[in-house]
mmCIF file of all heavy atoms in Angstrom:
data_model
loop_
_atom_site.group_PDB
_atom_site.id
_atom_site.type_symbol
_atom_site.label_atom_id
_atom_site.label_comp_id
_atom_site.label_asym_id
_atom_site.label_seq_id
_atom_site.Cartn_x
_atom_site.Cartn_y
_atom_site.Cartn_z
ATOM 1 N N SER C 1 -3.064 16.014 -73.862
ATOM 2 C CA SER C 1 -3.127 16.856 -72.659
ATOM 3 C C SER C 1 -4.509 16.800 -72.022
ATOM 4 O O SER C 1 -4.634 16.703 -70.788
ATOM 5 C CB SER C 1 -2.771 18.299 -73.021
ATOM 6 O OG SER C 1 -1.441 18.392 -73.472
ATOM 7 N N LEU C 2 -5.557 16.854 -72.851
ATOM 8 C CA LEU C 2 -6.918 16.757 -72.311
ATOM 9 C C LEU C 2 -7.160 15.391 -71.672
ATOM 10 O O LEU C 2 -7.757 15.292 -70.594
ATOM 11 C CB LEU C 2 -7.935 16.981 -73.424
ATOM 12 C CG LEU C 2 -8.110 18.401 -73.942
ATOM 13 C CD1 LEU C 2 -9.068 18.399 -75.129
ATOM 14 C CD2 LEU C 2 -8.622 19.334 -72.856
ATOM 15 N N LEU C 3 -6.710 14.335 -72.328
ATOM 16 C CA LEU C 3 -6.909 12.987 -71.800
ATOM 17 C C LEU C 3 -6.199 12.787 -70.475
ATOM 18 O O LEU C 3 -6.721 12.139 -69.562
ATOM 19 C CB LEU C 3 -6.432 11.952 -72.819
ATOM 20 C CG LEU C 3 -7.343 11.760 -74.033
ATOM 21 C CD1 LEU C 3 -6.599 11.053 -75.160
ATOM 22 C CD2 LEU C 3 -8.587 10.985 -73.650
ATOM 23 N N ARG C 4 -5.002 13.330 -70.352
ATOM 24 C CA ARG C 4 -4.261 13.234 -69.095
ATOM 25 C C ARG C 4 -5.023 13.924 -67.963
ATOM 26 O O ARG C 4 -5.145 13.394 -66.855
ATOM 27 C CB ARG C 4 -2.876 13.860 -69.237
ATOM 28 C CG ARG C 4 -1.858 12.997 -69.956
ATOM 29 C CD ARG C 4 -0.619 13.781 -70.321
ATOM 30 N NE ARG C 4 0.043 14.375 -69.161
ATOM 31 C CZ ARG C 4 0.910 13.739 -68.363
ATOM 32 N NH1 ARG C 4 1.216 12.479 -68.601
ATOM 33 N NH2 ARG C 4 1.479 14.353 -67.349
ATOM 34 N N ARG C 5 -5.524 15.114 -68.254
ATOM 35 C CA ARG C 5 -6.268 15.847 -67.230
ATOM 36 C C ARG C 5 -7.559 15.116 -66.876
ATOM 37 O O ARG C 5 -7.936 15.031 -65.696
ATOM 38 C CB ARG C 5 -6.577 17.259 -67.729
ATOM 39 C CG ARG C 5 -7.279 18.127 -66.699
ATOM 40 C CD ARG C 5 -7.311 19.580 -67.112
ATOM 41 N NE ARG C 5 -7.837 20.403 -66.046
ATOM 42 C CZ ARG C 5 -7.905 21.733 -66.083
ATOM 43 N NH1 ARG C 5 -7.436 22.391 -67.134
ATOM 44 N NH2 ARG C 5 -8.412 22.415 -65.075
ATOM 45 N N PHE C 6 -8.237 14.595 -67.872
ATOM 46 C CA PHE C 6 -9.482 13.870 -67.643
ATOM 47 C C PHE C 6 -9.240 12.625 -66.804
ATOM 48 O O PHE C 6 -10.023 12.303 -65.901
ATOM 49 C CB PHE C 6 -10.099 13.498 -68.989
ATOM 50 C CG PHE C 6 -11.423 12.797 -68.894
ATOM 51 C CD1 PHE C 6 -12.555 13.481 -68.496
ATOM 52 C CD2 PHE C 6 -11.536 11.452 -69.238
ATOM 53 C CE1 PHE C 6 -13.788 12.830 -68.424
ATOM 54 C CE2 PHE C 6 -12.749 10.803 -69.175
ATOM 55 C CZ PHE C 6 -13.889 11.497 -68.763
ATOM 56 N N ARG C 7 -8.146 11.915 -67.087
ATOM 57 C CA ARG C 7 -7.825 10.704 -66.315
ATOM 58 C C ARG C 7 -7.547 11.039 -64.854
ATOM 59 O O ARG C 7 -7.947 10.298 -63.946
ATOM 60 C CB ARG C 7 -6.611 10.002 -66.935
ATOM 61 C CG ARG C 7 -6.042 8.845 -66.120
ATOM 62 C CD ARG C 7 -5.027 8.041 -66.908
ATOM 63 N NE ARG C 7 -3.954 8.850 -67.453
ATOM 64 C CZ ARG C 7 -2.863 9.211 -66.765
ATOM 65 N NH1 ARG C 7 -2.734 8.867 -65.484
ATOM 66 N NH2 ARG C 7 -1.902 9.903 -67.350
ATOM 67 N N LYS C 8 -6.886 12.149 -64.614
ATOM 68 C CA LYS C 8 -6.511 12.512 -63.252
ATOM 69 C C LYS C 8 -7.650 13.153 -62.458
ATOM 70 O O LYS C 8 -7.773 12.937 -61.250
ATOM 71 C CB LYS C 8 -5.322 13.470 -63.287
ATOM 72 C CG LYS C 8 -4.035 12.844 -63.809
ATOM 73 C CD LYS C 8 -2.924 13.869 -63.907
ATOM 74 C CE LYS C 8 -1.637 13.251 -64.451
ATOM 75 N NZ LYS C 8 -0.556 14.262 -64.586
ATOM 76 N N GLU C 9 -8.496 13.943 -63.151
ATOM 77 C CA GLU C 9 -9.519 14.719 -62.452
ATOM 78 C C GLU C 9 -10.934 14.207 -62.667
ATOM 79 O O GLU C 9 -11.843 14.596 -61.940
ATOM 80 C CB GLU C 9 -9.427 16.194 -62.875
ATOM 81 C CG GLU C 9 -8.062 16.812 -62.577
ATOM 82 C CD GLU C 9 -7.956 18.256 -63.034
ATOM 83 O OE1 GLU C 9 -9.006 18.844 -63.417
ATOM 84 O OE2 GLU C 9 -6.839 18.807 -63.015
ATOM 85 N N GLY C 10 -11.125 13.375 -63.700
ATOM 86 C CA GLY C 10 -12.441 12.810 -63.940
ATOM 87 C C GLY C 10 -13.386 13.690 -64.732
ATOM 88 O O GLY C 10 -14.487 13.254 -65.091
ATOM 89 N N SER C 11 -12.999 14.925 -65.001
ATOM 90 C CA SER C 11 -13.831 15.845 -65.782
ATOM 91 C C SER C 11 -12.965 17.010 -66.241
ATOM 92 O O SER C 11 -11.817 17.158 -65.798
ATOM 93 C CB SER C 11 -15.013 16.360 -64.951
ATOM 94 O OG SER C 11 -14.544 17.112 -63.843
ATOM 95 N N LEU C 12 -13.535 17.834 -67.112
ATOM 96 C CA LEU C 12 -12.857 19.042 -67.563
ATOM 97 C C LEU C 12 -13.674 20.255 -67.155
ATOM 98 O O LEU C 12 -14.906 20.190 -67.108
ATOM 99 C CB LEU C 12 -12.687 19.022 -69.092
ATOM 100 C CG LEU C 12 -11.839 17.902 -69.678
ATOM 101 C CD1 LEU C 12 -11.842 18.004 -71.210
ATOM 102 C CD2 LEU C 12 -10.410 17.948 -69.154
ATOM 103 N N PRO C 13 -13.040 21.375 -66.868
ATOM 104 C CA PRO C 13 -13.797 22.566 -66.460
ATOM 105 C C PRO C 13 -14.589 23.147 -67.622
ATOM 106 O O PRO C 13 -14.176 23.059 -68.789
ATOM 107 C CB PRO C 13 -12.695 23.534 -66.009
ATOM 108 C CG PRO C 13 -11.484 23.107 -66.783
ATOM 109 C CD PRO C 13 -11.585 21.620 -66.892
ATOM 110 N N GLY C 14 -15.745 23.740 -67.313
ATOM 111 C CA GLY C 14 -16.538 24.406 -68.336
ATOM 112 C C GLY C 14 -15.916 25.745 -68.700
ATOM 113 O O GLY C 14 -15.480 26.494 -67.820
ATOM 114 N N ILE C 15 -15.862 26.044 -70.003
ATOM 115 C CA ILE C 15 -15.257 27.283 -70.479
ATOM 116 C C ILE C 15 -16.250 28.088 -71.313
ATOM 117 O O ILE C 15 -16.544 29.238 -71.033
ATOM 118 C CB ILE C 15 -13.996 26.985 -71.312
ATOM 119 C CG1 ILE C 15 -12.968 26.220 -70.470
ATOM 120 C CG2 ILE C 15 -13.384 28.283 -71.860
ATOM 121 C CD1 ILE C 15 -11.772 25.710 -71.263
ATOM 122 N N HIS C 16 -16.778 27.471 -72.344
ATOM 123 C CA HIS C 16 -17.751 28.029 -73.278
ATOM 124 C C HIS C 16 -18.446 26.817 -73.888
ATOM 125 O O HIS C 16 -17.798 25.785 -74.098
ATOM 126 C CB HIS C 16 -17.017 28.853 -74.350
ATOM 127 C CG HIS C 16 -17.898 29.453 -75.395
ATOM 128 N ND1 HIS C 16 -18.460 28.698 -76.413
ATOM 129 C CD2 HIS C 16 -18.309 30.728 -75.609
ATOM 130 C CE1 HIS C 16 -19.182 29.489 -77.196
ATOM 131 N NE2 HIS C 16 -19.101 30.719 -76.728
ATOM 132 N N PRO C 17 -19.762 26.884 -74.145
ATOM 133 C CA PRO C 17 -20.444 25.678 -74.651
ATOM 134 C C PRO C 17 -19.762 25.024 -75.838
ATOM 135 O O PRO C 17 -19.648 23.796 -75.890
ATOM 136 C CB PRO C 17 -21.835 26.201 -75.019
ATOM 137 C CG PRO C 17 -22.052 27.370 -74.124
ATOM 138 C CD PRO C 17 -20.702 28.002 -73.946
ATOM 139 N N LEU C 18 -19.280 25.823 -76.797
ATOM 140 C CA LEU C 18 -18.644 25.230 -77.979
ATOM 141 C C LEU C 18 -17.311 24.593 -77.630
ATOM 142 O O LEU C 18 -16.995 23.492 -78.095
ATOM 143 C CB LEU C 18 -18.454 26.288 -79.060
ATOM 144 C CG LEU C 18 -17.825 25.767 -80.364
ATOM 145 C CD1 LEU C 18 -18.710 24.708 -81.010
ATOM 146 C CD2 LEU C 18 -17.563 26.912 -81.331
ATOM 147 N N ILE C 19 -16.522 25.253 -76.798
ATOM 148 C CA ILE C 19 -15.239 24.681 -76.387
ATOM 149 C C ILE C 19 -15.471 23.410 -75.579
ATOM 150 O O ILE C 19 -14.776 22.401 -75.768
ATOM 151 C CB ILE C 19 -14.423 25.698 -75.573
ATOM 152 C CG1 ILE C 19 -14.075 26.907 -76.445
ATOM 153 C CG2 ILE C 19 -13.145 25.058 -75.027
ATOM 154 C CD1 ILE C 19 -13.380 28.028 -75.705
ATOM 155 N N ASP C 20 -16.455 23.448 -74.689
ATOM 156 C CA ASP C 20 -16.749 22.265 -73.881
ATOM 157 C C ASP C 20 -17.139 21.084 -74.775
ATOM 158 O O ASP C 20 -16.697 19.944 -74.554
ATOM 159 C CB ASP C 20 -17.885 22.562 -72.900
ATOM 160 C CG ASP C 20 -17.539 23.663 -71.905
ATOM 161 O OD1 ASP C 20 -16.344 24.003 -71.785
ATOM 162 O OD2 ASP C 20 -18.467 24.181 -71.261
ATOM 163 N N LEU C 21 -17.943 21.361 -75.788
ATOM 164 C CA LEU C 21 -18.366 20.306 -76.711
ATOM 165 C C LEU C 21 -17.172 19.749 -77.479
ATOM 166 O O LEU C 21 -17.009 18.525 -77.589
ATOM 167 C CB LEU C 21 -19.398 20.874 -77.684
ATOM 168 C CG LEU C 21 -19.880 19.928 -78.786
ATOM 169 C CD1 LEU C 21 -20.680 18.780 -78.207
ATOM 170 C CD2 LEU C 21 -20.709 20.690 -79.821
ATOM 171 N N CYS C 22 -16.326 20.634 -78.006
ATOM 172 C CA CYS C 22 -15.175 20.169 -78.786
ATOM 173 C C CYS C 22 -14.149 19.452 -77.924
ATOM 174 O O CYS C 22 -13.535 18.471 -78.369
ATOM 175 C CB CYS C 22 -14.539 21.353 -79.515
ATOM 176 S SG CYS C 22 -15.551 21.989 -80.872
ATOM 177 N N ASN C 23 -13.968 19.908 -76.689
ATOM 178 C CA ASN C 23 -13.064 19.196 -75.778
ATOM 179 C C ASN C 23 -13.577 17.789 -75.488
ATOM 180 O O ASN C 23 -12.801 16.834 -75.449
ATOM 181 C CB ASN C 23 -12.905 19.974 -74.480
ATOM 182 C CG ASN C 23 -11.947 21.146 -74.600
ATOM 183 O OD1 ASN C 23 -11.218 21.273 -75.582
ATOM 184 N ND2 ASN C 23 -11.941 22.013 -73.604
ATOM 185 N N ALA C 24 -14.890 17.671 -75.286
ATOM 186 C CA ALA C 24 -15.463 16.351 -75.011
ATOM 187 C C ALA C 24 -15.334 15.443 -76.231
ATOM 188 O O ALA C 24 -15.059 14.245 -76.106
ATOM 189 C CB ALA C 24 -16.925 16.495 -74.603
ATOM 190 N N ALA C 25 -15.517 16.002 -77.425
ATOM 191 C CA ALA C 25 -15.350 15.209 -78.645
ATOM 192 C C ALA C 25 -13.904 14.765 -78.810
ATOM 193 O O ALA C 25 -13.630 13.639 -79.235
ATOM 194 C CB ALA C 25 -15.806 16.020 -79.857
ATOM 195 N N SER C 26 -12.973 15.654 -78.466
ATOM 196 C CA SER C 26 -11.558 15.298 -78.525
ATOM 197 C C SER C 26 -11.250 14.154 -77.568
ATOM 198 O O SER C 26 -10.504 13.231 -77.904
ATOM 199 C CB SER C 26 -10.698 16.524 -78.197
ATOM 200 O OG SER C 26 -9.330 16.239 -78.310
ATOM 201 N N LEU C 27 -11.835 14.188 -76.372
ATOM 202 C CA LEU C 27 -11.669 13.090 -75.415
ATOM 203 C C LEU C 27 -12.223 11.792 -75.989
ATOM 204 O O LEU C 27 -11.584 10.743 -75.907
ATOM 205 C CB LEU C 27 -12.410 13.407 -74.119
ATOM 206 C CG LEU C 27 -11.847 14.469 -73.184
ATOM 207 C CD1 LEU C 27 -12.797 14.653 -71.999
ATOM 208 C CD2 LEU C 27 -10.461 14.090 -72.691
ATOM 209 N N ALA C 28 -13.425 11.856 -76.550
ATOM 210 C CA ALA C 28 -14.101 10.650 -77.029
ATOM 211 C C ALA C 28 -13.340 9.973 -78.155
ATOM 212 O O ALA C 28 -13.283 8.740 -78.218
ATOM 213 C CB ALA C 28 -15.517 10.996 -77.478
ATOM 214 N N PHE C 29 -12.731 10.780 -79.043
ATOM 215 C CA PHE C 29 -12.054 10.224 -80.211
ATOM 216 C C PHE C 29 -10.536 10.198 -80.067
ATOM 217 O O PHE C 29 -9.845 9.632 -80.910
ATOM 218 C CB PHE C 29 -12.431 11.025 -81.458
ATOM 219 C CG PHE C 29 -13.835 10.787 -81.940
ATOM 220 C CD1 PHE C 29 -14.886 11.505 -81.417
ATOM 221 C CD2 PHE C 29 -14.097 9.821 -82.893
ATOM 222 C CE1 PHE C 29 -16.192 11.287 -81.851
ATOM 223 C CE2 PHE C 29 -15.392 9.590 -83.344
ATOM 224 C CZ PHE C 29 -16.441 10.326 -82.812
ATOM 225 N N ALA C 30 -10.004 10.806 -79.004
ATOM 226 C CA ALA C 30 -8.554 10.905 -78.785
ATOM 227 C C ALA C 30 -7.862 11.575 -79.979
ATOM 228 O O ALA C 30 -6.744 11.212 -80.355
ATOM 229 C CB ALA C 30 -7.933 9.538 -78.500
ATOM 230 N N ILE C 31 -8.533 12.555 -80.551
ATOM 231 C CA ILE C 31 -8.035 13.296 -81.703
ATOM 232 C C ILE C 31 -8.012 14.776 -81.349
ATOM 233 O O ILE C 31 -9.000 15.293 -80.808
ATOM 234 C CB ILE C 31 -8.935 13.050 -82.934
ATOM 235 C CG1 ILE C 31 -8.796 11.594 -83.413
ATOM 236 C CG2 ILE C 31 -8.614 14.019 -84.070
ATOM 237 C CD1 ILE C 31 -9.784 11.206 -84.496
ATOM 238 N N PRO C 32 -6.927 15.492 -81.617
ATOM 239 C CA PRO C 32 -6.887 16.927 -81.301
ATOM 240 C C PRO C 32 -7.890 17.718 -82.130
ATOM 241 O O PRO C 32 -8.010 17.511 -83.343
ATOM 242 C CB PRO C 32 -5.447 17.338 -81.618
ATOM 243 C CG PRO C 32 -4.909 16.260 -82.491
ATOM 244 C CD PRO C 32 -5.641 15.013 -82.153
ATOM 245 N N VAL C 33 -8.603 18.613 -81.458
ATOM 246 C CA VAL C 33 -9.624 19.444 -82.089
ATOM 247 C C VAL C 33 -9.332 20.901 -81.737
ATOM 248 O O VAL C 33 -9.268 21.258 -80.561
ATOM 249 C CB VAL C 33 -11.042 19.064 -81.608
ATOM 250 C CG1 VAL C 33 -12.086 19.985 -82.242
ATOM 251 C CG2 VAL C 33 -11.351 17.607 -81.934
ATOM 252 N N GLY C 34 -9.160 21.729 -82.740
ATOM 253 C CA GLY C 34 -8.950 23.152 -82.525
ATOM 254 C C GLY C 34 -10.174 23.938 -82.950
ATOM 255 O O GLY C 34 -10.837 23.579 -83.928
ATOM 256 N N VAL C 35 -10.488 25.012 -82.211
ATOM 257 C CA VAL C 35 -11.643 25.853 -82.515
ATOM 258 C C VAL C 35 -11.164 27.293 -82.627
ATOM 259 O O VAL C 35 -10.579 27.822 -81.677
ATOM 260 C CB VAL C 35 -12.730 25.754 -81.429
ATOM 261 C CG1 VAL C 35 -14.037 26.373 -81.929
ATOM 262 C CG2 VAL C 35 -12.948 24.323 -80.990
ATOM 263 N N PHE C 36 -11.437 27.931 -83.749
ATOM 264 C CA PHE C 36 -10.933 29.275 -84.007
ATOM 265 C C PHE C 36 -12.073 30.250 -84.276
ATOM 266 O O PHE C 36 -13.025 29.924 -84.993
ATOM 267 C CB PHE C 36 -9.994 29.258 -85.217
ATOM 268 C CG PHE C 36 -8.821 28.339 -85.068
ATOM 269 C CD1 PHE C 36 -8.909 27.011 -85.440
ATOM 270 C CD2 PHE C 36 -7.622 28.797 -84.533
ATOM 271 C CE1 PHE C 36 -7.835 26.150 -85.299
ATOM 272 C CE2 PHE C 36 -6.543 27.941 -84.377
ATOM 273 C CZ PHE C 36 -6.647 26.620 -84.765
ATOM 274 N N ASP C 37 -11.964 31.445 -83.710
ATOM 275 C CA ASP C 37 -12.887 32.545 -83.965
ATOM 276 C C ASP C 37 -12.456 33.206 -85.270
ATOM 277 O O ASP C 37 -11.411 33.867 -85.325
ATOM 278 C CB ASP C 37 -12.834 33.538 -82.805
ATOM 279 C CG ASP C 37 -13.810 34.692 -82.962
ATOM 280 O OD1 ASP C 37 -14.268 34.952 -84.089
ATOM 281 O OD2 ASP C 37 -14.093 35.357 -81.951
ATOM 282 N N LEU C 38 -13.245 33.059 -86.323
ATOM 283 C CA LEU C 38 -12.833 33.541 -87.636
ATOM 284 C C LEU C 38 -12.744 35.062 -87.714
ATOM 285 O O LEU C 38 -12.029 35.593 -88.574
ATOM 286 C CB LEU C 38 -13.774 33.012 -88.713
ATOM 287 C CG LEU C 38 -13.522 31.571 -89.156
ATOM 288 C CD1 LEU C 38 -14.525 31.156 -90.216
ATOM 289 C CD2 LEU C 38 -12.106 31.399 -89.688
ATOM 290 N N ALA C 39 -13.429 35.765 -86.838
ATOM 291 C CA ALA C 39 -13.330 37.225 -86.838
ATOM 292 C C ALA C 39 -11.940 37.693 -86.427
ATOM 293 O O ALA C 39 -11.573 38.846 -86.669
ATOM 294 C CB ALA C 39 -14.380 37.826 -85.897
ATOM 295 N N ARG C 40 -11.161 36.797 -85.835
ATOM 296 C CA ARG C 40 -9.822 37.147 -85.338
ATOM 297 C C ARG C 40 -8.718 36.652 -86.264
ATOM 298 O O ARG C 40 -7.545 36.734 -85.934
ATOM 299 C CB ARG C 40 -9.640 36.563 -83.940
ATOM 300 C CG ARG C 40 -10.743 36.914 -82.948
ATOM 301 C CD ARG C 40 -10.599 38.304 -82.421
ATOM 302 N NE ARG C 40 -9.466 38.389 -81.503
ATOM 303 C CZ ARG C 40 -9.072 39.510 -80.899
ATOM 304 N NH1 ARG C 40 -9.713 40.639 -81.149
ATOM 305 N NH2 ARG C 40 -8.044 39.501 -80.080
ATOM 306 N N ILE C 41 -9.102 36.124 -87.423
ATOM 307 C CA ILE C 41 -8.133 35.603 -88.390
ATOM 308 C C ILE C 41 -8.154 36.490 -89.631
ATOM 309 O O ILE C 41 -9.218 36.834 -90.142
ATOM 310 C CB ILE C 41 -8.451 34.144 -88.749
ATOM 311 C CG1 ILE C 41 -8.241 33.258 -87.518
ATOM 312 C CG2 ILE C 41 -7.591 33.658 -89.907
ATOM 313 C CD1 ILE C 41 -8.660 31.817 -87.706
ATOM 314 N N THR C 42 -6.977 36.854 -90.106
ATOM 315 C CA THR C 42 -6.846 37.727 -91.274
ATOM 316 C C THR C 42 -6.500 36.905 -92.507
ATOM 317 O O THR C 42 -5.461 36.249 -92.549
ATOM 318 C CB THR C 42 -5.751 38.780 -91.038
ATOM 319 O OG1 THR C 42 -6.074 39.547 -89.866
ATOM 320 C CG2 THR C 42 -5.627 39.709 -92.230
ATOM 321 N N GLY C 43 -7.363 36.954 -93.509
ATOM 322 C CA GLY C 43 -7.090 36.244 -94.754
ATOM 323 C C GLY C 43 -7.193 34.738 -94.594
ATOM 324 O O GLY C 43 -8.012 34.227 -93.832
ATOM 325 N N ASP C 44 -6.336 34.026 -95.312
ATOM 326 C CA ASP C 44 -6.357 32.566 -95.292
ATOM 327 C C ASP C 44 -5.648 32.022 -94.057
ATOM 328 O O ASP C 44 -4.814 32.698 -93.446
ATOM 329 C CB ASP C 44 -5.679 32.017 -96.549
ATOM 330 C CG ASP C 44 -6.369 32.477 -97.827
ATOM 331 O OD1 ASP C 44 -7.602 32.655 -97.802
ATOM 332 O OD2 ASP C 44 -5.665 32.673 -98.828
#
């Protein structure tokens, strides 16, 4: 999904520095990258 948007628009919108970094890494490697706020996760 990120690659499709990048191909069509030439860039991705800025959201948060960490998300922007991980989205760019996902583009570079064509591998899905998820980022989770651990304070919002209960247990394992």
Side-chain angles (χ1 to χ4, degrees):
S1 296
L2 287 175
L3 286 163
R4 282 168 58 84
R5 183 168 187 175
F6 183 71
R7 171 169 54 84
K8 293 176 181 178
E9 301 178 10
S11 63
L12 298 177
I15 301 172
H16 178 285
L18 182 62
I19 296 175
D20 298 345
L21 176 67
C22 289
N23 281 348
S26 183
L27 288 177
F29 287 86
I31 292 172
V33 178
V35 193
F36 302 88
D37 182 341
L38 280 179
R40 308 282 288 178
I41 294 174
T42 302
D44 300 327

